[in-house]
Amino acid sequence: MAATTAIERDLELADGRTVRFWDTGVQGRGGAGLTLIWHHGTPQSGRLIPPVVEPALARGIRVVSCTRAGYVGTSTLEGRTVKDAAADVVAVASELGLERYATAGASGGGPHALACAALDPERVVGVVTLAGIAPFTDADDWFAWMASPDALRAALRGGRDERRRHGETTEFNLESFVDTDWAVLEEEWAPLGADANRASVEATAGGEPPWGEIDDDVAFTTPWGFDLSAIGCPTLVVQGGRDRVVPRAHGQWQAEQLPRGQFWLRPNDGHVSVLRALPVALDWLRDLAPH
């Protein structure tokens, strides 16, 4: 099923802001009534794309995706934390009347998937993160093995303003992706690359800085607003051994902090090719849902 079949909606929040989300509105018996809330990477638009929707619907899983604050369609929230962005998602889950749901996120979406579980423990049955960045800590070299850490360093050093200035002159470092990443971006995950490009163009179309992307990086390098130890549901941390954007140590550390964390290392995958694990991860989530 194509991603265009998902219904786009806007929800006005209690603080007057608006959050945009997409909903397939379809469940099958094989999913045991499970809904998955998908958290997009940095930068992406929040639109549902076929390589996420198709394996989920094939397993009877309904899919919802929310656009984070500052990306086109969702109101900017200056100074937002990872927890703040996840609170918007929990509000959408309540609007939809979800009694239980799972969360999953890739790359910059990983922290927000975890945050939903911390904020909404009564309803979140499980979490999957794929190539998800870890909370910043100076205990070890958090930036080690990143091919292009300068944007995150700018966010850490000078917050929103310095991260904005950095983005005015920087370009994407092609060495951030390994050969397997480029291969999947030409094949089944081509819609992800197209959506990331679309999100970048949309964000700057009116002459404004790309606040969603900027605020993501600031949120990653400042306190998230919750501890991983507070997440009580099963959590699967999937990491590529060749990832040059979010190195494997980030995934290993998170799995160790999570009370019910499981670590799945895919040694030959990079930052994007690790997404090939999504169908199996969906099987793992589906097995958590009561039948």
Short mmCIF file of all heavy atoms in Angstrom, two decimals, residues 14 22 34-35 92 132 135 155 213 272:
data_model
loop_
_atom_site.label_atom_id
_atom_site.label_comp_id
_atom_site.label_asym_id
_atom_site.label_seq_id
_atom_site.Cartn_x
_atom_site.Cartn_y
_atom_site.Cartn_z
N ALA A 14 -3.31 21.79 23.53
CA ALA A 14 -3.83 22.62 24.61
C ALA A 14 -3.13 23.97 24.68
O ALA A 14 -3.73 24.97 25.12
CB ALA A 14 -3.70 21.88 25.94
N TRP A 22 -0.02 11.70 10.33
CA TRP A 22 -0.56 10.83 9.28
C TRP A 22 -0.99 9.52 9.91
O TRP A 22 -0.35 9.03 10.85
CB TRP A 22 0.49 10.56 8.21
CG TRP A 22 0.68 11.68 7.24
CD1 TRP A 22 0.15 11.80 5.99
CD2 TRP A 22 1.48 12.86 7.42
NE1 TRP A 22 0.55 12.98 5.39
CE2 TRP A 22 1.37 13.65 6.24
CE3 TRP A 22 2.27 13.34 8.46
CZ2 TRP A 22 2.02 14.86 6.08
CZ3 TRP A 22 2.92 14.55 8.32
CH2 TRP A 22 2.79 15.30 7.15
N LEU A 34 -2.73 -3.91 17.01
CA LEU A 34 -1.59 -3.08 17.38
C LEU A 34 -1.47 -1.87 16.45
O LEU A 34 -1.60 -1.97 15.24
CB LEU A 34 -0.30 -3.89 17.31
CG LEU A 34 0.99 -3.17 17.73
CD1 LEU A 34 0.92 -2.76 19.20
CD2 LEU A 34 2.20 -4.06 17.48
N THR A 35 -1.18 -0.72 17.05
CA THR A 35 -0.85 0.50 16.31
C THR A 35 0.61 0.83 16.57
O THR A 35 1.08 0.76 17.71
CB THR A 35 -1.73 1.68 16.74
OG1 THR A 35 -3.08 1.41 16.38
CG2 THR A 35 -1.27 2.97 16.07
N VAL A 92 -1.44 13.07 20.40
CA VAL A 92 -2.07 12.48 19.21
C VAL A 92 -2.61 11.09 19.53
O VAL A 92 -3.72 10.73 19.11
CB VAL A 92 -1.07 12.43 18.05
CG1 VAL A 92 -1.60 11.58 16.89
CG2 VAL A 92 -0.74 13.84 17.56
N GLY A 132 19.53 4.78 16.48
CA GLY A 132 19.12 5.91 17.31
C GLY A 132 20.27 6.49 18.11
O GLY A 132 21.06 5.76 18.72
N PRO A 135 21.68 9.66 24.53
CA PRO A 135 21.79 10.92 25.27
C PRO A 135 23.24 11.37 25.36
O PRO A 135 24.15 10.53 25.49
CB PRO A 135 21.23 10.57 26.66
CG PRO A 135 20.40 9.35 26.45
CD PRO A 135 21.03 8.60 25.33
N ALA A 155 25.67 22.63 18.06
CA ALA A 155 24.49 22.67 18.92
C ALA A 155 24.89 22.59 20.39
O ALA A 155 24.34 23.30 21.24
CB ALA A 155 23.56 21.53 18.57
N GLU A 213 15.13 20.69 12.10
CA GLU A 213 16.43 20.03 12.12
C GLU A 213 17.34 20.66 13.17
O GLU A 213 18.03 19.95 13.92
CB GLU A 213 17.06 20.13 10.74
CG GLU A 213 18.41 19.47 10.62
CD GLU A 213 18.98 19.57 9.21
OE1 GLU A 213 18.28 20.06 8.30
OE2 GLU A 213 20.14 19.15 9.03
N VAL A 272 21.75 3.82 7.14
CA VAL A 272 20.49 3.64 6.43
C VAL A 272 20.20 2.17 6.17
O VAL A 272 19.07 1.71 6.33
CB VAL A 272 20.48 4.42 5.10
CG1 VAL A 272 19.13 4.29 4.40
CG2 VAL A 272 20.79 5.90 5.33
#
